[in-house]
Amino acid sequence: MKIALNGTVMESGEAVISIYDHGFLYGMGLFETFRTYGGRPYLLKQHMKRLKAGCEAIGIRYNPDVNALQAMITTLLEANGLNEGYIRLTITAGIGELGLPSNDYEQPTELMLVKALPPHNERLYDEGKELRLLRTVRNTPEGAFRLKSLHYMNNIIAKRELLASGASASAEGLMVSHEGLLAEGIVSNLFFVQSDIIYTPSTDIGILPGITRQRVIELARERGYTVREGHYLYDELLAAEEVWLTTSIQELVPVTRLTDEAGSSVIVGNGSAGPVLRELLLAYREDTEAQQR
């Protein structure tokens, strides 16, 4: 695959990052993942706003140029023979001395990777997937709020637990906070519905403030739904009429089976995507189509 390193397109095997880059030495770096529709990245400005704020919080001097990034995405898609793509933009702190920094990072490393989107399976959006409660607890955020940082060990440990649990192949894992509050999936944000009210864990629990999560909240409120961000327990999820997950790549995916740590499962609703999810998924897809016009 061809990639872009600091604005230069090259073969992935030719890319070199210094062993003194503090992204490698200390995990000082952030990333964003998003996908294209019609060759254009969806919600790119929102992703870059989050990325810039995160970089400022950890002293990385990076000011994303949305137009230049859009042009590079187009270039990489063409170079890799792709019409659409899964994009990952990573910003690391850049080269530094061995030891913790005493000043801001002035020369970050910018790395853009692309790959083909996973095969689309429309049945997933009707039949849904399993969500399995994990014993792995969501760690506390790096600072005042969760960053989409290179410190991904908590998520990987959770993924390893999920793989060893006997869950279905497409299942997502659900983490709770140290206080037992619903947090988020390994790579997703969580929503559920009770009596036409939409609930989602609040960011003060330490979840990632997902870009897709926020857009779904906006779309729901535009359609007259009450959306409550708060503190919820697993028992409340078990009583939900609908449950779904949001990710930038898979959009809104229904959860039709909840499984606890002991392997005991319950079916959500009637075992297929519910009416609120279907309405919001349609609205979301209409929103992605609008950006192509």
Side-chain angles (χ1 to χ4, degrees):
M1 298 295 287
K2 289 185 171 60
I3 62 93
L5 179 60
N6 294 324
T8 300
V9 177
M10 63 185 71
E11 294 288 345
S12 59
E14 298 174 355
V16 176
I17 295 177
S18 170
I19 61 169
Y20 286 101
D21 191 304
H22 277 207
F24 169 68
L25 287 179
Y26 302 112
M28 289 296 289
L30 304 172
F31 71 99
E32 293 286 333
T33 56
F34 43 90
R35 60 165 291 180
T36 63
Y37 294 86
R40 298 180 61 190
Y42 181 56
L43 302 177
L44 181 61
K45 290 182 179 179
Q46 291 90 324
H47 280 281
M48 293 306 99
K49 181 179 179 180
R50 180 174 69 177
L51 179 61
K52 181 180 179 181
C55 285
E56 289 175 351
I58 59 177
I60 295 177
R61 298 288 185 89
Y62 179 72
N63 187 23
D65 183 330
V66 173
N67 291 330
L69 290 169
Q70 170 67 77
M72 182 57 73
I73 290 165
T74 300
T75 297
L76 284 182
L77 289 175
E78 293 176 353
N80 287 291
L82 298 173
N83 293 319
E84 304 289 5
Y86 174 124
I87 316 295
R88 170 166 163 154
L89 176 65
T90 303
I91 305 300
T92 77
I95 297 172
E97 297 292 329
L98 189 60
L100 300 185
S102 55
N103 296 296
D104 284 353
Y105 294 103
E106 301 286 349
Q107 294 183 301
T109 299
E110 181 189 81
L111 173 64
M112 185 182 290
L113 307 177
V114 304
K115 68 176 184 179
L117 291 168
H120 181 78
N121 178 11
E122 191 59 30
R123 288 176 56 189
L124 173 66
Y125 299 93
D126 178 53
E127 298 175 0
K129 65 167 57 183
E130 176 188 6
L131 181 62
R132 191 171 187 113
L133 182 62
L134 301 177
R135 292 184 173 89
T136 301
V137 174
R138 191 64 171 115
N139 62 349
T140 55
E142 298 86 347
F145 55 93
R146 173 80 55 188
L147 301 173
K148 198 170 179 68
S149 77
L150 304 186
H151 300 276
Y152 229 57
M153 189 180 294
N154 187 222
N155 301 66
I156 292 173
I157 289 171
K159 181 68 171 181
R160 288 175 61 84
E161 180 189 345
L162 178 65
L163 292 173
S165 70
S168 55
S170 65
E172 169 68 309
L174 173 63
M175 291 182 282
V176 299
S177 71
H178 284 276
E179 298 78 20
L181 300 172
L182 295 175
E184 59 190 339
I186 299 171
V187 292
S188 61
N189 286 123
L190 173 69
F191 288 82
F192 62 97
V193 176
Q194 187 66 265
S195 301
D196 281 335
I197 297 175
I198 300 172
Y199 299 88
T200 188
S202 60
T203 56
D204 64 5
I205 295 169
I207 67 168
L208 183 73
I211 300 300
T212 305
R213 169 187 179 275
Q214 183 57 41
R215 187 63 186 131
V216 169
I217 290 173
E218 292 167 356
L219 290 170
R221 287 176 172 159
E222 287 171 8
R223 280 151 185 78
Y225 286 102
T226 297
V227 182
R228 294 179 179 169
E229 302 175 67
H231 296 178
Y232 310 111
L233 300 172
Y234 186 67
D235 283 348
E236 294 174 86
L237 194 63
L238 290 174
E241 298 159 5
E242 297 184 46
V243 180
W244 69 81
L245 305 169
T246 59
T247 75
S248 293
I249 306 304
Q250 288 194 313
E251 307 170 332
L252 292 75
V253 178
V255 171
T256 50
R257 180 154 57 102
L258 295 168
T259 305
D260 65 18
E261 310 102 306
S264 178
S265 295
V266 299
I267 300 300
V268 178
N270 64 4
S272 63
V276 178
L277 177 280
R278 291 180 188 276
E279 180 181 354
L280 293 179
L281 178 59
L282 178 61
Y284 187 87
R285 288 177 172 175
E286 288 175 346
D287 200 49
T288 66
E289 292 171 1
Q291 81 153 13
Q292 300 174 46
R293 294 197 287 268

